[in-house]
Amino acid sequence: MSSYRPLHDGWTVTAVSSTGQLRPVVAGLPASVPGCVHTDLLAAGLIEDPYLDDNEEGLTWIGRTAWAYETTFTWEPGATGGDGAGDDRADLVCAGLDTVATLVLNGVEIGRTANMHRSYRFPVRHLLQAGDNTLRILFDPPYGYAEAQKAALGDRPGAYDEPYQFIRKMACNFGWDWGPTLVTAGIWRPIGIETWSAARLAEVRPLVSGDGTVEVHVTVERAAERPLTLTATAGGVSETVTVAAGARRAVVTLTVPDPDLWWPRGYGEQPLYDLTVRLEDGGPEQEWSGRIGFRSVELDRTGDAFTIVVNGRPVFMKGFNWIPDDCFPSRITRERLAERFAQAAGAGANCLRVWGGGMYESDDFYNLADEMGLLVWQDFPFACAAYPEEGPFAAEVEAEARENVARLTRHPSLVLWCGNNENIEGHADWRWQEKLEGRGWGGGFYYDLLPRIVAELDPARPYWPGSPYSGSPDLPPNDPSRGTLHIWTVWNTHDYRHYATYTPRFVAEFGFQGPPTYATLRAAVSDDPLTPSSPGVVHHQKAVDGDLKLLRGLGDHLPRPDGFDDWHYFTQLNQARAMAFGIERFRALAPYCMGTIVWQLNDCWPVTSWAAVDGGGRRKPLWHALRRAFADRLLTFQGDAPAAGMGMGMVLAMVNDTDEAWSGELAVERLSLAGEILAKERFDVSVAARGTASADLPEAVARSGNPAGEVLVATLGDARALWFPREDPAMAYPPAEMDTVVEETEGGLRVTVTARTLVRELAIFPDRLDPRATVDDQLVTLLPGETAVFHVSGGSPDPGALVRHPVLRCVNESR
């Protein structure tokens, strides 16, 4: 009953008009679809790579220019098996237009768009002609549209002096404190012509329950009013209903007996079932297919808690906030997403929060999350600003929400819809109300429109109005004792030890900055020499006073950097320590606290930021620290040590995020820095499955007369925790001495390091020698006599240089 022809070939792009400056002549330039103006100009060599140096600053004219995309395609109506097969109707289907566009087919305007976050469909059968047809899409300047809406509706406060809240486009296009200002335009998702007759499947919305029930809600569009047959099949079970003549909606319900349940990563397997839906009217059938998983999900709010419950089991959410992985989303492939997801899972995460300043992600994103068991918290795309509810916006928001909620209902990985990022907090705490003077700010979306749409289309999945949020509009939104919390005091004003003052229910966002890997920074910045304050390095730091905060954040934790190499190592190490400190604190509070979501997993370009994986796709030292902090079984020293008492007043927390009890002999030793045992205690402990426990430190090991010269070591099975009672500059570390052996292996190089003294936070940075080289571990502390083995893969780094400064680093190194 239908056929689809993509229209991705033969496009050109032309700059029509501009209010910007520095515009090169662009006329009839070959264009890639899907794509955007920036990538087309880059491919043609008309602009420099915006990710390099400060090239971004010379490209603001692109967002102030009108662009015309045009293609010519042939059409043969009525050709059997060709374009016109079953062509009673023909629709131009636009999966994504960015953003304000006028579409013209053969000289006739067929429609206008103003929303990047939704698709559009235009009937065009009456305009198609045999032979050549010309399709032209004119994109208005995003800045012009947004500024016109701002002038018409009145200004609204936001975190940045950009008009991103006045256009339904991903907000971070306009720059963020980790991203460049690259305001795009173009056909960013597939476009094509669908022909059909009698009827087509307009929407398929499966509602899947953990008991095996699948309610398939179907909407059909009709060209004829005769009865239709609708069949749904999953798990070997099929059910058929008749769609009466003229009816446009139907529900097919089927039950798969004893289905295998879908579980989050770390809680079980992720079985998926193929669901097919067929629509027939006596001629060729039309089919929709997708994969589903059987599970239940609830949000437990008992006693102001915030706990995601899957299949009746509370889940401690360990994960990352997710931003668009590229400023130009058409470049984000399934393979690239799979690499990022593997990096998230490899760090021990079980969830990703799709942040509200980005977009509804691609089908590949949610399919991968289903396959890998990564829970998805999905923000609606509103972030850090007051949004207008009047003008064209309410209708656009409703359209995009309805489409995307319906699109994503089938995915078992999606466990929460969230109305916005930080807008409720902004309205309550950022002095927005006096600036608004009674104008709308988005509250009608978060408290009314969006929850109504979720309740109607996806009733079994929880909705939360925003984050941070305490559960009621009348409560302070960022109250640690209720709902979700964002912690930015640490990065902005406080030392990272301040995390210990929080006792939260769920931390949905917190982070600490560090620079990208050397190879990523060096590839993006041509400064010679490369220094912390050289122009390119400074340009790739978007946070206000970011470099000052990096240095201030070192506090008394680490020595003052002497040159670029020290700055790079110490600030990366400090980022890793800060986040590990916070995560261990919050995990030790379980089940009172049931989530810790780090800001952020990824970057969209090379930049100094909060990410664990940088803009080149490389893992920063932070990633390795998170892998330990997110470990299924964690030992961590918690509490404040008195100045003269080493570990007095501290406890040893044991976190068991597995389905088996964690039992064994807990060993706690007080050692001199030379490795001499000064005191030790051993006792049997048992931590319940998915539980936490704590042990007070015995006085014999906790009390010390020489805090600067001793270390506490706790072990339980394979888990180990270290506690140094003074910050590194105040410790009496010996100069590091170690023996190193580098050997070739089938997969690269094996580096064996044996410590002759204590070696603090040992790291190898092979990308300094070859940008293709990676290492499997970082920031390892060795006690005297201990050995660590590192595996270096990729590229051809010099084996000898791997074990020399500045590639091999530790805090107490001697040079």
Side-chain angles (χ1 to χ4, degrees), residues 27-214:
L29 186 73
S32 295
V33 171
C36 72
V37 173
H38 288 76
T39 52
D40 292 331
L41 295 175
L42 186 60
L46 293 180
I47 62 172
E48 298 296 326
D49 189 337
Y51 290 1
L52 304 184
D53 294 323
D54 63 354
N55 293 340
E56 163 209 355
E57 292 185 344
L59 303 180
T60 56
W61 60 272
I62 296 175
R64 297 189 176 277
T65 298
W67 299 94
Y69 278 76
E70 188 170 305
T71 190
T72 298
F73 61 94
T74 58
W75 183 259
E76 299 178 18
T80 302
D83 294 330
D87 64 353
D88 292 345
R89 298 288 181 91
D91 296 337
L92 178 67
V93 182
C94 309
L97 298 176
D98 178 17
T99 292
V100 182
T102 302
L103 295 90
V104 178
L105 178 60
N106 294 329
V108 178
E109 181 180 315
I110 60 173
R112 298 190 178 198
T113 75
N115 195 332
M116 177 185 182
H117 299 303
R118 57 175 290 204
S119 65
Y120 293 87
R121 177 182 288 264
F122 305 101
V124 295
R125 181 66 186 86
H126 61 295
L127 295 176
L128 291 170
Q129 57 194 27
D132 289 345
N133 293 259
T134 300
L135 176 61
R136 188 171 190 263
I137 304 180
L138 176 66
F139 290 93
D140 291 351
Y143 273 111
Y145 176 88
E147 288 164 351
Q149 293 295 325
K150 176 180 175 180
L153 301 176
D155 197 4
R156 303 293 197 283
Y160 303 98
D161 189 21
E162 293 278 340
Y164 55 89
Q165 66 268 53
F166 292 97
I167 184 171
R168 293 310 295 152
K169 175 179 175 62
M170 70 179 191
C172 60
N173 245 191
F174 290 86
W176 222 259
D177 56 5
W178 38 258
T181 303
L182 295 168
V183 181
T184 56
I187 306 167
W188 76 287
R189 279 182 168 165
I191 186 170
I193 291 180
E194 181 181 3
T195 57
W196 55 282
S197 62
R200 71 175 186 87
L201 287 167
E203 180 181 281
V204 176
R205 179 169 53 90
L207 301 181
V208 184
S209 301
D211 64 2
T213 302
V214 186

Side-chain angles (χ1 to χ4, degrees), residues 640-665:
D640 295 322
M646 193 171 182
M648 297 297 291
M650 297 186 65
V651 299
L652 186 62
M654 296 163 280
V655 182
N656 179 20
D657 197 13
T658 76
D659 287 331
E660 303 292 332
W662 186 17
S663 300
E665 184 181 69

